[in-house]
């Protein structure tokens, strides 16, 4: 997961260099990011089928091969179609890695699904923190293509080696939790799609992931347009330009948020945790739009936004497994995860909206409203709906348990 993260999280560093080299419109370049996310997310249900058929190790090994290939394709690309092809390969590769690892974490740890999947997703969220500076340095030395090629080989190789040690639980090796309220039967994908709770989660997932995904893809561009990109953040013991410092901080916060909020959700319930996190993200995005021209505010507020965004990948996957069981969770969460693909369609739209209004504030305020809507739905709609869902199946809250209390 750590090695797969940079296709998504380091992309913002490459966009200005690609634009400078070829002179293409920024929105056209960002279509590559959208293609990557759409392919990564919308193929997840199919990857869930292959996980069940061939096991996690083979799927992740293939994912490593495709992830490395994607970076190498980008290193040789001289046309938009070349970068789009790299995005397709990257989407397939990262999708195989991400879907398999999340699926495995949900199956192995029924008592602590929020924490387990949070730690696993945290590898993806924080994975690029150590490599952001080396990649930025290599790009600044005048060779973004060399950065693509070098890190493609390194990251693809790491994923393929790590895949050797991966396996899923054997039949009967893991039993239902006696500590967390969760279904005692495994829904098929068809059955899950027939429940209203699935579609509410899909809507909420789409609303919340849009804001964070917009920030991931556009943070470098936003920093440049706000005039804070080159500002030197001086912490006395070291100094760094605002953008790479913000990116490094954001990766750390993004990684922390997934296990942190996952652990909290194991204790107080998924819906309450969603309300807290989504409200925090919405308010943080509003503040970023209002105070973002101040370099220090830009760094701090972008960190808050990522802290409150990363947890969506632990909360929704854990909630889906609690609600529908783990046997077919690869396919079920795969469809739910397609929300990220829907959200990716808004990334190029964000550029167009900014060009039309002349300010990023319009874009940021729009996605903030979506976050606050999701926060409201978590408590007002999802919470009572889940109670009815479990009651209809005869699932009883274990005594003395805080989760979903």
């Amino acid at each position: 997961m750590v090695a797969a993260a940079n296709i998504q999280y380091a992309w913002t560093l490459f966009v200005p260099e690609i634009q400078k080299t070829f002179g293409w419109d920024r929105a056209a370049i960002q279509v590559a990011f959208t293609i990557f996310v759409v392919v990564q997310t919308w193929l997840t249900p199919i990857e869930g089928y292959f996980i069940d058929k061939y096991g996690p190790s083979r799927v992740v090994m293939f994912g490593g091969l495709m992830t490395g290939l994607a970076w190498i394709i980008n290193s040789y690309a001289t046309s938009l179609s070349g970068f789009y092809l790299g995005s397709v390969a990257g989407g397939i590769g990262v999708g195989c890695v991400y879907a398999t690892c999340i699926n495995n974490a949900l199956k192995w740890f029924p008592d602590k699904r929020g924490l387990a999947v949070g730690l696993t997703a945290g590898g993806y969220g924080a994975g690029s923190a150590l490599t952001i500076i080396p990649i930025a340095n290599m790009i600044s030395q005048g060779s973004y293509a060399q950065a693509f090629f070098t890190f493609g080989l390194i990251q693809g190789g790491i994923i393929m080696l790590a895949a050797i040690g991966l396996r899923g639980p054997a039949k009967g090796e893991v039993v239902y939790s006696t500590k967390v309220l969760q279904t005692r039967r495994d829904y098929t994908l068809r059955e899950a799609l027939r429940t209203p709770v699935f579609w509410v989660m899909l809507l909420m997932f789409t609303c919340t992931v849009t804001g964070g995904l917009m920030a991931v893809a556009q943070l470098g561009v936003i920093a440049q347009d706000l005039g804070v990109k080159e500002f030197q953040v001086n912490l006395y013991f070291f100094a760094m330009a605002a953008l790479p410092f913000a990116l490094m901080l954001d990766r750390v916060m993004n990684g922390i948020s997934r296990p942190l909020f996952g652990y909290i959700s194991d204790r107080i319930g998924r819906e309450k945790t969603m309300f807290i996190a989504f409200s925090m993200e919405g308010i943080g995005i509003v503040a970023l739009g209002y105070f973002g021209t101040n370099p220090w505010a830009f760094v701090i507020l972008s960190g808050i936004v990522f802290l409150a965004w990363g947890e969506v990948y632990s909360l929704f996957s854990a909630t889906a497994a609690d609600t529908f069981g783990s046997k077919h969770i690869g396919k079920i969460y795969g469809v739910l995860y397609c929300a990220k693909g829907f959200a990716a369609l808004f990334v190029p739209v964000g550029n167009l909206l900014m060009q039309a209004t002349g300010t990023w504030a319009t874009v940021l305020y729009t996605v903030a409203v979506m976050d606050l809507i999701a926060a409201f739905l978590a408590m007002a709609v999802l919470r009572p709906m889940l109670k009815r869902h479990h009651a209809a199946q005869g699932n009883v809250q274990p005594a003395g348990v805080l989760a979903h209390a």
Side-chain angles (χ1 to χ4, degrees), residues 348-368:
V349 174
N351 279 105
L352 299 176
L353 184 59
M354 183 272 173
Q355 293 171 6
T357 61
T359 175
W360 280 106
T362 308
V363 180
L364 295 173
Y365 293 157
T366 300
V367 296

Side-chain angles (χ1 to χ4, degrees), residues 254-283:
N254 197 356
I256 291 173
S257 74
R258 302 179 189 209
L260 172 63
F261 284 104
Y263 171 77
I264 293 172
S265 75
D266 287 335
R267 303 296 299 167
I268 70 171
R270 316 288 184 213
E271 314 88 70
K272 291 179 182 178
T273 310
M274 287 177 181
F275 176 78
I276 294 169
F278 301 163
S279 299
M280 185 187 301
E281 184 186 353
I283 295 170

